[in-house]
Amino acid sequence: MRVSVLTSVALAVTLVALQTPQCQAQGWEAVAAALVSKIVGFWRDEKTELLGHECNFTVKPYIKKFQLYYKGRMWCPGWTPIRGEASTRSQSGVAGKTARDFVEKAFKKGLISEQEAQQWLDSKA
């Protein structure tokens, strides 16, 4: 789902909450806050460490055939141009698949040994 769509929905809910009479405003404000918090939670932007190298990891939601999917990306600037990528329906599952894709590509390029790759993957399981 695009950020602009989610922002528009959050803005609309907030405007409705602000226009609600004072006696009901607390209920709408709580709903709006919970909705915005849930929507923002779909995105992740984190840092992780791989064999002494700082790496970035992001997850972004998108809609495909009216279903919510997550796209993960992992890259390590300053070390290698390799990018790990994966898409799944599971927000937690995309992290593991993205890391696995990155480590497999790094192994194939000879940046890490099979033992290092396996140890890192086992530590993230």
Side-chain angles (χ1 to χ4, degrees):
M1 191 177 297
R2 296 213 162 158
V3 175
S4 60
V5 173
L6 294 174
T7 303
S8 297
V9 169
L11 182 60
V13 169
T14 303
L15 289 174
V16 168
L18 292 174
Q19 297 299 322
T20 305
Q22 192 64 21
C23 61
Q24 297 177 5
Q26 288 179 338
W28 280 106
E29 288 173 2
V31 170
L35 181 62
V36 169
S37 175
K38 184 69 172 171
I39 291 171
V40 170
F42 289 143
W43 280 264
R44 287 173 53 191
D45 190 8
E46 303 172 358
K47 299 225 183 266
T48 188
E49 185 268 332
L50 174 61
L51 304 173
H53 300 278
E54 188 174 286
C55 301
N56 299 311
F57 174 74
T58 62
V59 173
K60 296 179 181 179
Y62 68 98
I63 302 291
K64 179 179 173 184
K65 295 184 180 179
F66 299 105
Q67 294 183 1
L68 183 61
Y69 283 81
Y70 297 91
K71 180 168 184 86
R73 289 187 178 171
M74 181 178 173
W75 68 100
C76 303
W79 180 35
T80 178
I82 294 172
R83 285 187 176 258
E85 297 182 323
S87 294
T88 68
R89 299 240 10 245
S90 167
Q91 186 178 25
S92 59
V94 76
K97 289 186 178 197
T98 302
R100 179 170 296 279
D101 183 58
F102 181 89
V103 169
E104 287 174 355
K105 288 176 180 176
F107 171 69
K108 287 178 184 174
K109 291 282 187 178
L111 293 174
I112 59 177
S113 69
E114 183 176 2
Q115 181 181 3
E116 289 172 322
Q118 194 59 51
Q119 284 175 343
W120 194 82
L121 289 172
D122 290 344
S123 73
K124 297 299 178 184

